[in-house]
Amino acid sequence: MTAVMTVKQVRKVYGGKNEPQFEALHNINFDVEAGEFVGIMGASGSGKTTLLNILSTLDQPTAGEVVINGQNLAALKGDALADFRAREIGFIFQDFNLLENLTAYDNIALPLSLQNVAAKKIKPAVAKIAATLGIDQILTHYPTEISGGQKQRVAAARALVQEPSILMGDEPTGALDSKSAKDLLETMTQLNEQQHVSILLVTHDPFSASYCQRILFIKDGRIGTELKRGQQTKQEFYQQILQVLGRTEQGGD
Amino acid sequence: MLWKLALTGIKSRLRDYLVLLSGLAMASAIFYMFEALALNKSFVTSNSPVSMAFLVFQFGSVLLAIITFIYLLYANNFLLSMRQRDYGLFMVLGAKGRKLGQLIFIETLVIGSVATVLGLLIGLGLTELTGHLLLSRMHLTVHHFTPFYGPAMISTLIFFGVLFLLAAIVNQVQLRRTPVLTLLHRDTQPTHLQRQPRGQFFQSLLGLILLAIGYWSMIKIDVLKMSSIGIALVTIVVGTFLLFRALFTWCLQCLKRREHFAYHGLNNFVLAQLQFRLHDLNRMLTLVTLLFALALGALTVGMGFQSQLHNIADVSPYDVVLHDPTAAQQKKAAQLDIKRQWQVDYKVVKGTVYFNRAQFTQPLLAIHQSTTTSQKAYREIKPSELTLAKQQQWQQTLNDWLRPNDYGHPVRVVDAGAYQALQGPHYRVVAIQTKNFYQALPQIKQLVITDNQENHFPSSVGLVLSKYQSYELMNSLVSGLEFMGFFLGIAFLAMLASCLMFKILAGAANDRRRYQMLGKIGTRSKLLRRSVNREIGVLFALPAVLGVVHVLFGLQLFEVSGLLTHPYRDLLVPFSIFGILYLGYYGLTVKLYQHLVLPKFK
Ligand SMILES: Nc1ncnc2c1ncn2[C@@H]1O[C@H](COP(=O)(O)OP(=O)(O)OP(=O)(O)O)[C@@H](O)[C@H]1O
Ligand SMILES: [Mg+2]
């Protein structure tokens, strides 16, 4: 197996020269193999969003390096960085981040038109991903006219339409009710198992995490425990996650 | 409790309120100043040429009233959009609709009165400043000119009072009619395109027809007189609105349907952005178009008058004509930079003026009748042409030489013998053509004044004007007009700028979210910038193009009525001045907007 993403010695210090310094990330190291479904868990303020922003090229690490699909992110600047983000990274946000003035179809088509894909090729690409995510019935609707779960599927479709190397999500189920959250997670699992999409999911919800194959626990900017699902069922894995969480919380106090 | 909530709402958006308040205050300040200058009897009646300027000012103040009205509509809309979300939230928390209606009513009135009073104070200062500037430009001295003018104050108060009362009522009704959910999600409600192509077609057609009527009525001002302006104002305002409402929507739809265009880069997004606030844009673009046209028109006309000043004022080929000059006058005249000089005598017998043919040794000058250039050409009349058969050609030029009292009498040129035999008062004339009339103006002024003192009789004052006097008269009128042009131009541009500012502030929060998101999914920052440029570019370009067309037709008013002889000849300068100013505003708006909405990734 080859690594789709390698994170080496990543540090992040907030605060400029004359400001109070705060080390949000402290020497983070891990890999994501191609086709893997990895979760990152941690309490509020542990540095999950900070890490994901760095991995998704929205922010730069103070030290260390990130390689995605063979490309060192530090070597990218300006347009090349934007293009890399558009092509290689699919991102779903907690608050959907759809353009509410475009229809679902147009939202999904946006990354393709940004890459100047011919109009003829856009239609089949959108139709294909919409069918996979079960949103082909609502493509002509505007975001205000569809439910939260549907919005997040549209956002996922938009993230995946370019067939990126890796799909990242920062609490994508955070704004969804449990039914919609479950549906979305099952769809992601399906994408992972059938289409071999690599996924990196940030969450603090043990139920969401139990869908992953491997979980990295982050605490105060450091990766502590690593948990592998192996042959366990989801329920067993869920219990195991709860145990780890209980232990780390006791250990933290 | 509700009051406290309302007040905190205001506090949290203090900056927006300040923008609104300063915009409204400027509107009332400009209105007061205009009224104070336009209605001020003490300076209107003090000098005859100013009465023309007075008419112009009256017209200007009617325009200003209309513009201010539209401007207030827009500002009020901005106020309402600021408050709707808050009030929706209050309603969810259980506040009664009636109570909130009262609240917005009072809020509108309070903001209105504060702005009006503030505006009056600023207006006093502005009037003091511009009043004196205007008077000195028109070479007028008015005793006790004060910026405080009661009637103007009252008309400003009434005008703004009525408008704000109307606005308050409208706001109250609007707020109570709108469902709570709509209030809460005001900003995120996509305004879908109307899907009635037929209605849109008729609206486009009606708009075009109305514009055609408006243009036609301006061309026909000689037939329609003042009603032409009334018709044009109504039809052009409504026509412009319909055109934007229908035509603009239609164009957006067409572009969206063209997949090659729509699904390329951020085009679809820009189209959606423009579509999203379609209703706002309709009104705003109409307003901006009208302001643009008025401002550009005022500037063009003002400069047109100035550039034609030399032409209009050039009533005679002779720069100075002295009658029976004293030694002192002759000495002064000799110091002029003389190109040609004539010295002849004439006698007045029984209401007829006689010249001595023997004294005409060099050609006379006459104004070329068929001249079209800005500098009038002179034609020479040889002494041999001073015959009875050709007298039509030389009567006028010799009339220019007569004392005001003799002006208009029939003129004869007789042989030396006959001249000697004539019995009657005789006068000596010295006529001078200088090398440059405008450079010699100060010395000419002195000569003309002393000559007038000796040869003018009260009955003839103002009837016959020397070249210098007619220049002075035209100069005062033209300065007034030009001043008005610049003044209106700048006032309108200022309103235009704050309208666009409202648009930016009202929409930036939402747009920011969108642009940040686009950045996150990997849009190149150059593309983002270009899309901002395009969005705002469309907002600026559409009204500019339509505004220029309005102005080109509007100049017909001046061409047909004869106020300007060549309104279309000197378009380059005013159009470039305006273009540069307008482009400046565009650049500034784009920069501001980019600063507000574009993401900054490291
Ligand atoms: N721009 C910033 N400047 C300074 N400190 C920051 C900045 N952003 C985040 N931090 C700090 O870094 C730490 C990690 O923040 P981060 O947003 O990554 O947490 P998180 O794990 O995503 O939390 P949550 O689960 O609440 O979203 C926090 O202590 C936060 O206060
Ligand atoms: Mg977070």
Short mmCIF file of all heavy atoms in Angstrom, two decimals, chain B residues 406-458:
data_model
loop_
_atom_site.label_atom_id
_atom_site.label_comp_id
_atom_site.label_asym_id
_atom_site.label_seq_id
_atom_site.Cartn_x
_atom_site.Cartn_y
_atom_site.Cartn_z
N ASP B 406 -27.24 107.44 -30.59
CA ASP B 406 -27.47 107.51 -32.04
C ASP B 406 -27.70 106.13 -32.64
O ASP B 406 -28.00 106.01 -33.83
CB ASP B 406 -26.26 108.16 -32.74
CG ASP B 406 -25.96 109.53 -32.16
OD1 ASP B 406 -26.92 110.22 -31.78
OD2 ASP B 406 -24.75 109.87 -32.06
N TYR B 407 -27.54 105.11 -31.84
CA TYR B 407 -27.57 103.73 -32.34
C TYR B 407 -28.92 103.46 -33.00
O TYR B 407 -29.98 103.82 -32.48
CB TYR B 407 -27.35 102.77 -31.18
CG TYR B 407 -27.17 101.33 -31.61
CD1 TYR B 407 -25.93 100.86 -31.99
CD2 TYR B 407 -28.26 100.47 -31.64
CE1 TYR B 407 -25.76 99.56 -32.40
CE2 TYR B 407 -28.10 99.16 -32.04
CZ TYR B 407 -26.84 98.70 -32.42
OH TYR B 407 -26.68 97.40 -32.82
N GLY B 408 -28.86 102.77 -34.12
CA GLY B 408 -30.09 102.38 -34.79
C GLY B 408 -30.57 103.38 -35.82
O GLY B 408 -31.49 103.09 -36.59
N HIS B 409 -29.95 104.56 -35.89
CA HIS B 409 -30.35 105.52 -36.92
C HIS B 409 -29.86 105.06 -38.28
O HIS B 409 -28.84 104.37 -38.36
CB HIS B 409 -29.73 106.91 -36.63
CG HIS B 409 -30.32 107.56 -35.42
ND1 HIS B 409 -31.64 107.45 -35.07
CD2 HIS B 409 -29.75 108.36 -34.48
CE1 HIS B 409 -31.87 108.14 -33.96
NE2 HIS B 409 -30.72 108.69 -33.57
N PRO B 410 -30.54 105.47 -39.37
CA PRO B 410 -30.01 105.16 -40.69
C PRO B 410 -28.67 105.85 -40.91
O PRO B 410 -28.44 106.96 -40.42
CB PRO B 410 -31.07 105.69 -41.66
CG PRO B 410 -31.95 106.55 -40.84
CD PRO B 410 -31.84 106.12 -39.42
N VAL B 411 -27.76 105.18 -41.60
CA VAL B 411 -26.41 105.71 -41.78
C VAL B 411 -26.16 105.98 -43.26
O VAL B 411 -26.50 105.15 -44.12
CB VAL B 411 -25.37 104.69 -41.27
CG1 VAL B 411 -23.95 105.22 -41.51
CG2 VAL B 411 -25.58 104.43 -39.78
N ARG B 412 -25.61 107.16 -43.55
CA ARG B 412 -25.26 107.49 -44.94
C ARG B 412 -23.77 107.78 -45.01
O ARG B 412 -23.20 108.34 -44.06
CB ARG B 412 -25.98 108.78 -45.40
CG ARG B 412 -27.48 108.68 -45.41
CD ARG B 412 -27.97 108.24 -46.81
NE ARG B 412 -29.24 107.54 -46.68
CZ ARG B 412 -30.41 108.17 -46.47
NH1 ARG B 412 -30.46 109.49 -46.40
NH2 ARG B 412 -31.52 107.49 -46.35
N VAL B 413 -23.16 107.49 -46.16
CA VAL B 413 -21.77 107.88 -46.40
C VAL B 413 -21.81 108.85 -47.58
O VAL B 413 -22.29 108.49 -48.65
CB VAL B 413 -20.90 106.68 -46.74
CG1 VAL B 413 -19.45 107.12 -46.96
CG2 VAL B 413 -20.97 105.65 -45.61
N VAL B 414 -21.35 110.08 -47.34
CA VAL B 414 -21.44 111.10 -48.40
C VAL B 414 -20.06 111.62 -48.76
O VAL B 414 -19.11 111.46 -47.99
CB VAL B 414 -22.35 112.27 -47.96
CG1 VAL B 414 -23.79 111.80 -47.81
CG2 VAL B 414 -21.83 112.89 -46.67
N ASP B 415 -19.96 112.29 -49.91
CA ASP B 415 -18.67 112.85 -50.34
C ASP B 415 -18.27 114.03 -49.47
O ASP B 415 -19.11 114.60 -48.77
CB ASP B 415 -18.76 113.31 -51.80
CG ASP B 415 -18.96 112.10 -52.71
OD1 ASP B 415 -18.51 110.99 -52.31
OD2 ASP B 415 -19.60 112.27 -53.76
N ALA B 416 -16.98 114.38 -49.53
CA ALA B 416 -16.43 115.39 -48.64
C ALA B 416 -17.21 116.71 -48.72
O ALA B 416 -17.55 117.32 -47.71
CB ALA B 416 -14.96 115.62 -48.95
N GLY B 417 -17.52 117.14 -49.95
CA GLY B 417 -18.22 118.40 -50.14
C GLY B 417 -19.58 118.40 -49.44
O GLY B 417 -19.92 119.32 -48.69
N ALA B 418 -20.31 117.37 -49.71
CA ALA B 418 -21.65 117.25 -49.12
C ALA B 418 -21.55 117.23 -47.60
O ALA B 418 -22.38 117.81 -46.89
CB ALA B 418 -22.32 115.99 -49.63
N TYR B 419 -20.52 116.54 -47.09
CA TYR B 419 -20.35 116.41 -45.65
C TYR B 419 -20.12 117.78 -45.02
O TYR B 419 -20.71 118.11 -43.98
CB TYR B 419 -19.20 115.46 -45.33
CG TYR B 419 -19.04 115.19 -43.84
CD1 TYR B 419 -19.87 114.27 -43.21
CD2 TYR B 419 -18.08 115.86 -43.10
CE1 TYR B 419 -19.75 114.03 -41.86
CE2 TYR B 419 -17.95 115.62 -41.74
CZ TYR B 419 -18.78 114.70 -41.12
OH TYR B 419 -18.66 114.48 -39.78
N GLN B 420 -19.25 118.58 -45.69
CA GLN B 420 -18.95 119.90 -45.15
C GLN B 420 -20.21 120.75 -45.08
O GLN B 420 -20.39 121.53 -44.16
CB GLN B 420 -17.91 120.63 -46.04
CG GLN B 420 -16.59 119.90 -46.21
CD GLN B 420 -15.84 119.71 -44.92
OE1 GLN B 420 -16.10 120.45 -43.95
NE2 GLN B 420 -14.93 118.75 -44.85
N ALA B 421 -21.10 120.59 -46.05
CA ALA B 421 -22.29 121.42 -46.13
C ALA B 421 -23.29 121.09 -45.03
O ALA B 421 -24.18 121.87 -44.73
CB ALA B 421 -22.94 121.26 -47.51
N LEU B 422 -23.19 119.88 -44.43
CA LEU B 422 -24.20 119.46 -43.44
C LEU B 422 -24.07 120.25 -42.15
O LEU B 422 -22.97 120.55 -41.68
CB LEU B 422 -24.03 117.97 -43.13
CG LEU B 422 -24.51 117.00 -44.22
CD1 LEU B 422 -24.03 115.60 -43.91
CD2 LEU B 422 -26.03 117.05 -44.33
N GLN B 423 -25.21 120.62 -41.57
CA GLN B 423 -25.25 121.35 -40.32
C GLN B 423 -25.80 120.43 -39.22
O GLN B 423 -26.90 119.93 -39.34
CB GLN B 423 -26.16 122.59 -40.45
CG GLN B 423 -25.71 123.58 -41.50
CD GLN B 423 -24.42 124.27 -41.12
OE1 GLN B 423 -24.26 124.70 -39.98
NE2 GLN B 423 -23.46 124.37 -42.06
N GLY B 424 -25.03 120.25 -38.17
CA GLY B 424 -25.54 119.40 -37.08
C GLY B 424 -24.41 119.05 -36.14
O GLY B 424 -23.24 119.32 -36.42
N PRO B 425 -24.77 118.47 -34.99
CA PRO B 425 -23.72 118.08 -34.04
C PRO B 425 -22.81 117.03 -34.66
O PRO B 425 -23.29 116.16 -35.40
CB PRO B 425 -24.50 117.50 -32.86
CG PRO B 425 -25.82 117.12 -33.43
CD PRO B 425 -26.10 118.07 -34.56
N HIS B 426 -21.54 117.18 -34.41
CA HIS B 426 -20.65 116.17 -34.97
C HIS B 426 -19.77 115.55 -33.90
O HIS B 426 -19.46 116.17 -32.87
CB HIS B 426 -19.80 116.76 -36.10
CG HIS B 426 -18.91 117.86 -35.66
ND1 HIS B 426 -17.60 117.69 -35.32
CD2 HIS B 426 -19.19 119.18 -35.48
CE1 HIS B 426 -17.09 118.84 -34.94
NE2 HIS B 426 -18.03 119.76 -35.03
N TYR B 427 -19.39 114.33 -34.15
CA TYR B 427 -18.64 113.56 -33.17
C TYR B 427 -17.47 112.89 -33.83
O TYR B 427 -17.50 112.58 -35.01
CB TYR B 427 -19.53 112.47 -32.54
CG TYR B 427 -20.82 113.03 -31.98
CD1 TYR B 427 -21.98 113.00 -32.75
CD2 TYR B 427 -20.86 113.59 -30.71
CE1 TYR B 427 -23.16 113.51 -32.26
CE2 TYR B 427 -22.04 114.12 -30.22
CZ TYR B 427 -23.19 114.08 -30.99
OH TYR B 427 -24.34 114.61 -30.51
N ARG B 428 -16.44 112.66 -33.03
CA ARG B 428 -15.27 111.94 -33.53
C ARG B 428 -15.30 110.51 -32.97
O ARG B 428 -15.58 110.30 -31.79
CB ARG B 428 -14.00 112.66 -33.08
CG ARG B 428 -12.74 111.82 -33.20
CD ARG B 428 -11.57 112.65 -33.54
NE ARG B 428 -11.74 113.34 -34.81
CZ ARG B 428 -10.78 114.06 -35.40
NH1 ARG B 428 -9.61 114.20 -34.80
NH2 ARG B 428 -11.00 114.66 -36.55
N VAL B 429 -15.00 109.58 -33.83
CA VAL B 429 -15.00 108.18 -33.40
C VAL B 429 -13.61 107.61 -33.55
O VAL B 429 -12.98 107.79 -34.59
CB VAL B 429 -15.96 107.32 -34.27
CG1 VAL B 429 -15.88 105.86 -33.86
CG2 VAL B 429 -17.38 107.84 -34.16
N VAL B 430 -13.13 106.93 -32.48
CA VAL B 430 -11.90 106.15 -32.61
C VAL B 430 -12.26 104.69 -32.34
O VAL B 430 -12.70 104.35 -31.24
CB VAL B 430 -10.82 106.63 -31.62
CG1 VAL B 430 -9.61 105.70 -31.70
CG2 VAL B 430 -10.44 108.06 -31.90
N ALA B 431 -12.11 103.86 -33.35
CA ALA B 431 -12.43 102.43 -33.18
C ALA B 431 -11.13 101.64 -33.24
O ALA B 431 -10.26 101.92 -34.07
CB ALA B 431 -13.38 101.96 -34.26
N ILE B 432 -11.00 100.71 -32.36
CA ILE B 432 -9.75 99.96 -32.26
C ILE B 432 -10.02 98.46 -32.29
O ILE B 432 -10.93 97.96 -31.61
CB ILE B 432 -9.00 100.32 -30.96
CG1 ILE B 432 -8.58 101.79 -30.99
CG2 ILE B 432 -7.78 99.42 -30.76
CD1 ILE B 432 -8.07 102.30 -29.67
N GLN B 433 -9.23 97.77 -33.10
CA GLN B 433 -9.22 96.31 -32.99
C GLN B 433 -7.87 95.92 -32.39
O GLN B 433 -6.83 96.26 -32.95
CB GLN B 433 -9.38 95.65 -34.36
CG GLN B 433 -9.56 94.15 -34.26
CD GLN B 433 -9.41 93.45 -35.60
OE1 GLN B 433 -8.85 93.99 -36.54
NE2 GLN B 433 -9.91 92.22 -35.66
N THR B 434 -7.88 95.25 -31.25
CA THR B 434 -6.62 94.87 -30.62
C THR B 434 -6.16 93.52 -31.17
O THR B 434 -6.92 92.83 -31.85
CB THR B 434 -6.77 94.75 -29.09
OG1 THR B 434 -7.78 93.81 -28.83
CG2 THR B 434 -7.12 96.08 -28.48
N LYS B 435 -4.92 93.17 -30.83
CA LYS B 435 -4.43 91.86 -31.29
C LYS B 435 -5.09 90.74 -30.51
O LYS B 435 -5.31 89.66 -31.01
CB LYS B 435 -2.89 91.80 -31.13
CG LYS B 435 -2.21 92.68 -32.16
CD LYS B 435 -0.78 92.26 -32.42
CE LYS B 435 -0.14 93.13 -33.50
NZ LYS B 435 0.98 93.94 -32.97
N ASN B 436 -5.37 91.01 -29.21
CA ASN B 436 -6.05 90.00 -28.42
C ASN B 436 -6.99 90.66 -27.42
O ASN B 436 -6.56 91.21 -26.42
CB ASN B 436 -5.04 89.11 -27.68
CG ASN B 436 -5.71 87.91 -27.06
OD1 ASN B 436 -6.90 87.97 -26.72
ND2 ASN B 436 -4.97 86.84 -26.92
N PHE B 437 -8.28 90.58 -27.74
CA PHE B 437 -9.30 91.23 -26.93
C PHE B 437 -9.25 90.78 -25.47
O PHE B 437 -9.31 91.58 -24.55
CB PHE B 437 -10.67 90.90 -27.53
CG PHE B 437 -11.84 91.37 -26.72
CD1 PHE B 437 -12.10 92.72 -26.55
CD2 PHE B 437 -12.69 90.45 -26.10
CE1 PHE B 437 -13.19 93.15 -25.80
CE2 PHE B 437 -13.76 90.87 -25.34
CZ PHE B 437 -14.02 92.22 -25.19
N TYR B 438 -9.11 89.44 -25.26
CA TYR B 438 -9.23 88.92 -23.90
C TYR B 438 -8.03 89.27 -23.04
O TYR B 438 -8.14 89.40 -21.84
CB TYR B 438 -9.49 87.42 -23.95
CG TYR B 438 -10.77 87.14 -24.69
CD1 TYR B 438 -10.76 86.73 -26.01
CD2 TYR B 438 -12.00 87.40 -24.08
CE1 TYR B 438 -11.93 86.54 -26.70
CE2 TYR B 438 -13.18 87.21 -24.76
CZ TYR B 438 -13.15 86.79 -26.08
OH TYR B 438 -14.31 86.61 -26.75
N GLN B 439 -6.86 89.44 -23.73
CA GLN B 439 -5.68 89.85 -22.95
C GLN B 439 -5.77 91.31 -22.57
O GLN B 439 -5.31 91.71 -21.50
CB GLN B 439 -4.41 89.61 -23.77
CG GLN B 439 -3.72 88.33 -23.37
CD GLN B 439 -2.63 87.96 -24.35
OE1 GLN B 439 -2.03 88.84 -24.99
NE2 GLN B 439 -2.39 86.68 -24.47
N ALA B 440 -6.37 92.11 -23.46
CA ALA B 440 -6.41 93.55 -23.24
C ALA B 440 -7.60 93.95 -22.36
O ALA B 440 -7.83 95.13 -22.13
CB ALA B 440 -6.49 94.26 -24.58
N LEU B 441 -8.33 92.94 -21.89
CA LEU B 441 -9.59 93.20 -21.20
C LEU B 441 -9.51 94.25 -20.08
O LEU B 441 -10.34 95.17 -20.02
CB LEU B 441 -10.14 91.89 -20.65
CG LEU B 441 -11.66 91.74 -20.70
CD1 LEU B 441 -12.19 91.98 -22.10
CD2 LEU B 441 -12.06 90.36 -20.23
N PRO B 442 -8.51 94.21 -19.18
CA PRO B 442 -8.48 95.19 -18.09
C PRO B 442 -8.38 96.64 -18.58
O PRO B 442 -9.12 97.50 -18.09
CB PRO B 442 -7.22 94.80 -17.31
CG PRO B 442 -6.93 93.40 -17.70
CD PRO B 442 -7.44 93.23 -19.08
N GLN B 443 -7.50 96.87 -19.58
CA GLN B 443 -7.37 98.24 -20.08
C GLN B 443 -8.64 98.64 -20.82
O GLN B 443 -9.11 99.78 -20.71
CB GLN B 443 -6.17 98.38 -21.02
CG GLN B 443 -4.83 98.13 -20.39
CD GLN B 443 -4.31 96.73 -20.67
OE1 GLN B 443 -4.93 95.75 -20.26
NE2 GLN B 443 -3.17 96.64 -21.34
N ILE B 444 -9.18 97.70 -21.59
CA ILE B 444 -10.40 98.00 -22.33
C ILE B 444 -11.51 98.38 -21.37
O ILE B 444 -12.27 99.31 -21.61
CB ILE B 444 -10.81 96.79 -23.20
CG1 ILE B 444 -9.79 96.60 -24.32
CG2 ILE B 444 -12.19 96.98 -23.78
CD1 ILE B 444 -10.04 95.39 -25.18
N LYS B 445 -11.55 97.66 -20.26
CA LYS B 445 -12.59 97.93 -19.27
C LYS B 445 -12.56 99.39 -18.84
O LYS B 445 -13.59 100.09 -18.84
CB LYS B 445 -12.39 97.02 -18.06
CG LYS B 445 -13.44 97.21 -16.97
CD LYS B 445 -13.19 96.26 -15.80
CE LYS B 445 -14.25 96.48 -14.74
NZ LYS B 445 -14.07 95.59 -13.58
N GLN B 446 -11.36 99.89 -18.53
CA GLN B 446 -11.24 101.29 -18.07
C GLN B 446 -11.69 102.26 -19.15
O GLN B 446 -12.42 103.21 -18.88
CB GLN B 446 -9.79 101.59 -17.68
CG GLN B 446 -9.40 100.89 -16.40
CD GLN B 446 -7.94 101.13 -16.07
OE1 GLN B 446 -7.21 101.75 -16.86
NE2 GLN B 446 -7.54 100.66 -14.90
N LEU B 447 -11.25 102.01 -20.39
CA LEU B 447 -11.63 102.89 -21.49
C LEU B 447 -13.14 102.91 -21.68
O LEU B 447 -13.75 103.95 -21.86
CB LEU B 447 -10.95 102.42 -22.79
CG LEU B 447 -9.47 102.79 -22.91
CD1 LEU B 447 -8.83 102.06 -24.07
CD2 LEU B 447 -9.34 104.29 -23.07
N VAL B 448 -13.73 101.73 -21.63
CA VAL B 448 -15.17 101.64 -21.85
C VAL B 448 -15.93 102.38 -20.75
O VAL B 448 -16.89 103.08 -21.01
CB VAL B 448 -15.61 100.16 -21.93
CG1 VAL B 448 -17.13 100.04 -21.89
CG2 VAL B 448 -15.08 99.52 -23.20
N ILE B 449 -15.43 102.24 -19.51
CA ILE B 449 -16.13 102.90 -18.40
C ILE B 449 -16.09 104.42 -18.56
O ILE B 449 -17.12 105.09 -18.46
CB ILE B 449 -15.52 102.46 -17.05
CG1 ILE B 449 -15.96 101.03 -16.75
CG2 ILE B 449 -15.97 103.39 -15.94
CD1 ILE B 449 -15.29 100.43 -15.54
N THR B 450 -14.89 104.95 -18.88
CA THR B 450 -14.83 106.42 -19.02
C THR B 450 -15.65 106.89 -20.22
O THR B 450 -16.33 107.91 -20.16
CB THR B 450 -13.37 106.90 -19.18
OG1 THR B 450 -12.73 106.12 -20.19
CG2 THR B 450 -12.61 106.76 -17.88
N ASP B 451 -15.60 106.13 -21.30
CA ASP B 451 -16.37 106.50 -22.48
C ASP B 451 -17.86 106.51 -22.16
O ASP B 451 -18.61 107.37 -22.60
CB ASP B 451 -16.07 105.55 -23.63
CG ASP B 451 -16.72 106.01 -24.92
OD1 ASP B 451 -16.34 107.09 -25.40
OD2 ASP B 451 -17.62 105.30 -25.43
N ASN B 452 -18.27 105.50 -21.39
CA ASN B 452 -19.68 105.42 -21.01
C ASN B 452 -20.11 106.62 -20.18
O ASN B 452 -21.19 107.14 -20.34
CB ASN B 452 -19.93 104.14 -20.20
CG ASN B 452 -20.22 102.97 -21.14
OD1 ASN B 452 -20.32 103.17 -22.34
ND2 ASN B 452 -20.33 101.80 -20.58
N GLN B 453 -19.21 106.99 -19.27
CA GLN B 453 -19.57 108.13 -18.39
C GLN B 453 -19.84 109.38 -19.21
O GLN B 453 -20.73 110.16 -18.90
CB GLN B 453 -18.43 108.38 -17.39
CG GLN B 453 -18.46 107.42 -16.23
CD GLN B 453 -17.15 107.39 -15.47
OE1 GLN B 453 -16.19 108.05 -15.88
NE2 GLN B 453 -17.11 106.63 -14.41
N GLU B 454 -19.10 109.55 -20.30
CA GLU B 454 -19.27 110.75 -21.08
C GLU B 454 -20.40 110.68 -22.08
O GLU B 454 -21.05 111.67 -22.35
CB GLU B 454 -17.96 111.05 -21.84
CG GLU B 454 -16.87 111.56 -20.92
CD GLU B 454 -15.51 111.41 -21.56
OE1 GLU B 454 -15.43 111.54 -22.79
OE2 GLU B 454 -14.55 111.12 -20.83
N ASN B 455 -20.61 109.50 -22.64
CA ASN B 455 -21.51 109.44 -23.78
C ASN B 455 -22.82 108.71 -23.55
O ASN B 455 -23.68 108.70 -24.41
CB ASN B 455 -20.79 108.78 -24.95
CG ASN B 455 -19.64 109.61 -25.43
OD1 ASN B 455 -19.84 110.71 -25.93
ND2 ASN B 455 -18.42 109.13 -25.20
N HIS B 456 -22.94 108.04 -22.40
CA HIS B 456 -24.18 107.32 -22.17
C HIS B 456 -25.19 108.22 -21.51
O HIS B 456 -24.85 109.02 -20.66
CB HIS B 456 -23.94 106.11 -21.25
CG HIS B 456 -23.87 104.84 -22.01
ND1 HIS B 456 -24.92 104.35 -22.71
CD2 HIS B 456 -22.85 103.95 -22.16
CE1 HIS B 456 -24.56 103.20 -23.27
NE2 HIS B 456 -23.30 102.95 -22.97
N PHE B 457 -26.43 108.05 -21.89
CA PHE B 457 -27.50 108.72 -21.18
C PHE B 457 -28.30 107.65 -20.48
O PHE B 457 -28.36 106.52 -20.96
CB PHE B 457 -28.37 109.50 -22.17
CG PHE B 457 -27.58 110.54 -22.88
CD1 PHE B 457 -27.11 110.32 -24.16
CD2 PHE B 457 -27.26 111.74 -22.23
CE1 PHE B 457 -26.35 111.29 -24.80
CE2 PHE B 457 -26.51 112.69 -22.87
CZ PHE B 457 -26.04 112.48 -24.16
N PRO B 458 -28.86 108.01 -19.36
CA PRO B 458 -29.57 106.98 -18.60
C PRO B 458 -30.55 106.18 -19.45
O PRO B 458 -30.71 104.98 -19.27
CB PRO B 458 -30.31 107.78 -17.53
CG PRO B 458 -29.51 109.02 -17.35
CD PRO B 458 -28.88 109.31 -18.69
#
